[in-house]
Amino acid sequence: MSISDAQYRRWLERSAKAPRCALFELTFLGADPDSSLVSGEHKVYISNMPYITGGDDDPAHQEFDYCVLEEPSFTRRMGEQLEGRSTQSYGELIISNECTLGDDGQLLEAGVREDWLSMNWDGRRIRMWLGDPGWAFPDFRLVLDGRIVDIFDPGGYKIGFRISDKAALLDRPLMTAVLDGDGPEAGQPMPLAYGHTLHNIRPRLIDRVDQVYRISTTEPGVEELWRSAFYFENPFRVRENGVPLAFDLYMTGTTIGTNTMTTAPMLHGFVENTRLRFYLSGGDALPAPLVVGTDYWVIAAGLTTTDFRVAATRGGSVIVLTMNQVGTPYIASTGWDADPANGTFQLAGNPAGTITCDCWGLAFGSGTPTQINTAGEVIEEALTSSLTNTPLTSGDIDAASLADFVALCPQKVGIYVTERMTFADLLDRMVLSVGGWWGFSRDGLLQFGRLDLPDSATVPVYSFVNDDVARRSMKMIRRILPRAEVKLRGHINWFPQDPTAGSLDSYERAFYAMPYEELTGNSSPTSWEDDPASHLGAARPEPMLTYLSNSTSSAETQTEADRRADLMQEPNMIFGFDTHQAVYLLKIGDPVEVEHPKYTGLAIVVGLTERIRGRSQVEVFCRKQAVHPETDIPEAGVP
């Protein structure tokens, strides 16, 4: 490549009348031009001016058919709320379809490309390169990697192609695998658990005889539900009609003489052959010979409401305690057997009510796996995992953009996929939880970001000076009024229910009926003129339900609420202007510098319209300094 990026930028900045050679590669399914055999995907090469590649190029010695009459334009824009999915729209690619006409103007022979209207183009790939007709092919830049929506006949002996980006590929179900077993939901989509903690999910019964429930699909050897030396059970809590089938106790002492363990202040309620596992909570060791993570069984001998003894096996010999307890070991009492590697658990008996549980999401590795916690990690796993019906590969994802998104948005999230959710739905739910956006670039890479106002430390990727802005084109497209408050709700209750168990009090009943736990982020911005409410148009939107998941505090939810409040604490603006073709170098979310009498400063690109011929357009998000004119406005009654 002899044309550097800087030289390419200067070439784009030149007059739009400079020759712009657009080369297109279109894919179709069917017979190739030299054969009637339908043999898979084939390609055609067309352009808006004559061009042939070199012998060392890929493709080599390829002649591009000079038939393009109108090149497509590209418009990309953040969503209306500057969050979630960015929108894409494409102009149409129009090519000639020369026909043979008689002296009277009547059509004698169909167009030379008439058969193209019958070929299978829909959903196939289209690529476009842009460069100077005198350049070698490696010096062209790929400016479009998208999909053909359909082919159409615009009349006038022409053929048209409608184009889209790859986002249409994500409107497909996340899961196609279905539940097995003899449960009532056999054949329904397999559940999938992602994230830090999932509260009160409804697992799926897959074995009615042995009472086996599935939490999530897994991939043995690669992924398993999170577990470690201290958190060995998944699920870590199981309920029947809201009442825990197992509960946690602290041991307050051991009596070596009688081999008895004591719990206080609560009653344990164990019965013979209750399975127990032990782990530490502040202590240095368990009383010997107890081992962390090993199964033990309560035996009938010495069993009271507060004291109990354990055996190494069902009906086995009493464990002999040889030393005093050090610290306070923590008992996990379970009425189920968990199989984290396979995403299932088994109840000790047949339940009479609805079974729900709390669990961890999928993770990598064994022993102490790396959990998939953040929105970016969940997205990456869903898009690249063999567990899902993914339409993309890692090569379709902008790795640098995703890595930056993961670092920028470290909040823990959690999502339980049970319905026929699409990939696009998953991406929307994840990025909206952290105030982000997603979309495809022209060159076909999936990108992510978060809208933040640039500060003095921000390095712009491009600078627009006054001469770059077409005369009288700079205008304020939209004024975004401030918000008087921001409210976020997190840590979803995945199965709101009205428990019937008599042992639950009114608070617990109300708790399980709520769609979220009581982890709420509220923020009142210290905004424009010190009080956002002084702006009569300041918005007070309804609380936003997010997928933020923090099982111990609402700190992450509150932090995100504060960030959004700060971003929207003053009137923000979107300016738009016409400029040269250098916008082909920009991406949605890029920080740019603008120097113009209507606005000067740093801004964020939120919209682009790129054209090969004519002017392109840019839209930027910024905060313009508030002005309070006094001397320019005459007082009442003063001429």
Side-chain angles (χ1 to χ4, degrees):
M1 182 181 294
S2 59
I3 303 297
S4 67
D5 291 342
Q7 290 172 318
Y8 191 80
R9 182 193 67 197
R10 289 194 293 271
W11 176 77
L12 289 173
E13 291 171 346
R14 290 167 55 189
S15 168
K17 296 181 179 179
R20 311 284 194 200
C21 182
L23 307 176
F24 295 87
E25 174 194 83
L26 285 73
T27 305
F28 66 93
L29 181 68
D32 62 32
D34 301 320
S35 171
S36 61
L37 179 65
V38 177
S39 55
E41 288 191 339
H42 304 279
K43 295 179 176 64
V44 295
Y45 297 88
I46 59 178
S47 63
N48 65 348
M49 57 185 64
Y51 193 85
I52 302 176
T53 62
D56 295 330
D57 296 337
D58 183 16
H61 300 298
Q62 178 63 55
E63 180 179 357
F64 284 77
D65 192 0
Y66 173 29
C67 64
V68 173
L69 302 177
E70 298 178 25
E71 307 91 351
S73 61
F74 316 107
T75 297
R76 293 174 289 142
R77 185 173 286 110
M78 285 188 185
E80 181 69 17
Q81 301 301 322
L82 305 180
E83 295 176 338
R85 186 191 312 203
S86 62
T87 60
Q88 314 277 342
S89 62
Y90 293 76
E92 296 164 347
L93 172 63
I94 305 297
I95 65 175
S96 63
N97 186 24
E98 300 94 341
C99 303
T100 302
L101 303 177
D103 294 339
D104 58 357
Q106 293 295 318
L107 182 67
L108 299 179
E109 294 183 11
V112 295
R113 300 179 182 85
E114 195 71 21
D115 57 336
W116 286 27
L117 294 170
S118 302
M119 292 160 56
N120 187 340
W121 303 92
D122 55 286
R124 306 293 167 180
R125 189 179 190 184
I126 178 173
R127 292 195 290 176
M128 170 186 163
W129 293 266
L130 185 63
D132 189 276
W135 291 352
F137 183 63
D139 289 326
F140 281 65
R141 299 298 196 270
L142 179 69
V143 296
L144 168 65
D145 189 342
R147 289 293 182 271
I148 300 171
V149 176
D150 199 5
I151 188 171
F152 68 99
D153 187 347
Y157 311 122
K158 301 174 184 177
I159 287 177
F161 289 91
R162 297 186 178 94
I163 303 169
S164 73
D165 64 2
K166 293 180 181 178
L169 297 177
L170 299 179
D171 289 323
R172 64 192 292 183
L174 185 71
M175 293 295 296
T176 54
V178 297
L179 284 165
D180 54 2
D182 62 357
E185 295 174 286
Q188 294 298 310
M190 183 80 74
L192 191 59
Y194 284 132
H196 182 250
T197 55
L198 298 168
H199 167 62
N200 205 43
I201 68 167
R202 186 176 67 84
R204 278 25 181 179
L205 177 64
I206 60 174
D207 187 333
R208 290 183 292 180
V209 175
D210 293 328
Q211 287 297 308
V212 178
Y213 288 77
R214 178 168 293 284
I215 301 174
S216 175
T217 184
T218 60
E219 185 178 354
V222 178
E223 301 162 350
E224 62 180 16
L225 299 171
W226 192 39
R227 57 179 176 176
S228 70
F230 291 98
Y231 299 99
F232 44 80
E233 293 284 30
N234 203 7
F236 56 86
R237 189 172 292 110
V238 175
R239 305 181 187 89
E240 181 181 359
N241 283 347
V243 177
L245 294 181
F247 50 88
D248 303 331
L249 325 171
Y250 282 97
M251 284 177 24
T252 60
T254 58
T255 305
I256 297 177
T258 59
N259 303 312
T260 301
M261 299 180 183
T262 301
T263 64
M266 65 186 73
L267 307 180
H268 62 71
F270 295 151
V271 297
E272 184 179 4
N273 285 331
T274 298
R275 185 177 69 93
L276 298 177
R277 285 185 178 180
F278 300 84
Y279 61 96
L280 300 175
S281 178
D284 299 321
L286 289 173
L290 299 179
V291 178
V292 169
T294 299
D295 289 340
Y296 298 96
W297 307 92
V298 174
I299 63 174
L303 182 59
T304 69
T305 55
T306 56
D307 299 336
F308 61 94
R309 302 180 189 181
V310 296
T313 60
R314 288 181 186 268
S317 300
V318 175
I319 293 290
V320 178
L321 304 174
T322 60
M323 59 177 290
N324 287 325
Q325 173 185 337
V326 179
T328 306
Y330 191 78
I331 297 177
S333 162
T334 63
W336 68 90
D337 287 314
D339 188 0
N342 291 317
T344 63
F345 68 92
Q346 181 179 4
L347 292 184
N350 294 334
T354 301
I355 296 297
T356 60
C357 67
D358 300 341
C359 72
W360 314 107
L362 288 170
F364 292 108
S366 59
T368 306
T370 302
Q371 197 179 12
I372 303 166
N373 272 332
T374 69
E377 290 168 345
V378 170
I379 290 170
E380 182 177 23
E381 171 60 19
L383 289 175
T384 58
S385 171
S386 62
L387 297 174
T388 63
N389 182 34
T390 177
L392 305 181
T393 68
S394 57
D396 295 312
I397 302 172
D398 186 332
S401 169
L402 182 57
D404 290 343
F405 183 65
V406 171
L408 186 64
C409 304
Q411 302 98 318
K412 296 180 179 65
V413 297
I415 187 166
Y416 194 52
V417 181
T418 54
E419 73 271 25
R420 297 189 183 276
M421 183 186 297
T422 67
F423 285 91
D425 290 336
L426 177 72
L427 266 60
D428 275 340
R429 298 182 193 195
M430 290 293 94
V431 300
L432 286 172
S433 292
V434 294
W437 59 266
W438 67 273
F440 283 89
S441 63
R442 275 179 297 91
D443 52 359
L445 292 181
L446 181 58
Q447 298 177 324
F448 303 88
R450 190 182 73 179
L451 185 67
D452 289 292
L453 284 168
D455 55 30
S456 57
T458 303
V459 179
V461 301
Y462 197 85
S463 296
F464 290 97
V465 298
N466 198 11
D467 289 343
D468 294 322
V469 179
R471 185 182 179 188
R472 296 184 178 180
S473 68
M474 173 74 82
K475 65 180 181 179
M476 185 180 70
I477 296 176
R478 180 182 169 197
R479 188 164 181 257
I480 304 173
L481 296 179
R483 293 181 185 176
E485 61 184 2
V486 174
K487 290 185 178 182
L488 302 181
R489 296 266 165 83
H491 208 51
I492 289 176
N493 175 5
W494 288 97
F495 190 68
Q497 62 194 121
D498 184 12
T500 59
S503 60
L504 295 179
D505 60 27
S506 59
Y507 173 84
E508 291 172 321
R509 291 175 185 275
F511 177 81
Y512 287 117
M514 295 174 64
Y516 47 83
E517 283 201 35
E518 292 182 317
L519 299 175
T520 305
N522 296 334
S523 186
S524 296
T526 55
S527 69
W528 197 44
E529 294 184 343
D530 297 327
D531 183 4
S534 68
H535 197 294
L536 299 182
R540 295 182 182 272
E542 290 295 317
M544 178 181 176
L545 181 62
T546 73
Y547 293 82
L548 295 170
S549 174
N550 191 329
S551 61
T552 57
S553 73
S554 58
E556 291 184 344
T557 310
Q558 184 63 53
T559 298
E560 177 60 16
D562 291 342
R563 185 194 70 83
R564 298 190 196 193
D566 181 67
L567 180 66
M568 307 303 291
Q569 68 180 348
E570 296 182 16
N572 294 310
M573 301 179 182
I574 296 179
F575 280 91
F577 55 89
D578 297 341
T579 186
H580 42 60
Q581 275 73 39
V583 297
Y584 272 94
L585 302 175
L586 297 177
K587 299 176 182 178
I588 297 294
D590 276 346
V592 295
E593 187 175 28
V594 179
E595 183 180 337
H596 189 270
K598 285 183 71 70
Y599 174 72
T600 296
L602 291 169
I604 297 296
V605 175
V606 295
L608 291 168
T609 298
E610 299 137 319
R611 298 186 179 94
I612 294 175
R613 302 178 186 180
R615 293 171 177 168
S616 296
Q617 296 174 333
V618 179
E619 296 177 10
V620 297
F621 173 86
C622 61
R623 176 172 294 168
K624 193 171 182 179
Q625 182 178 3
V627 178
H628 307 282
E630 295 178 357
T631 58
D632 293 341
I633 300 178
E635 296 181 9
V638 178

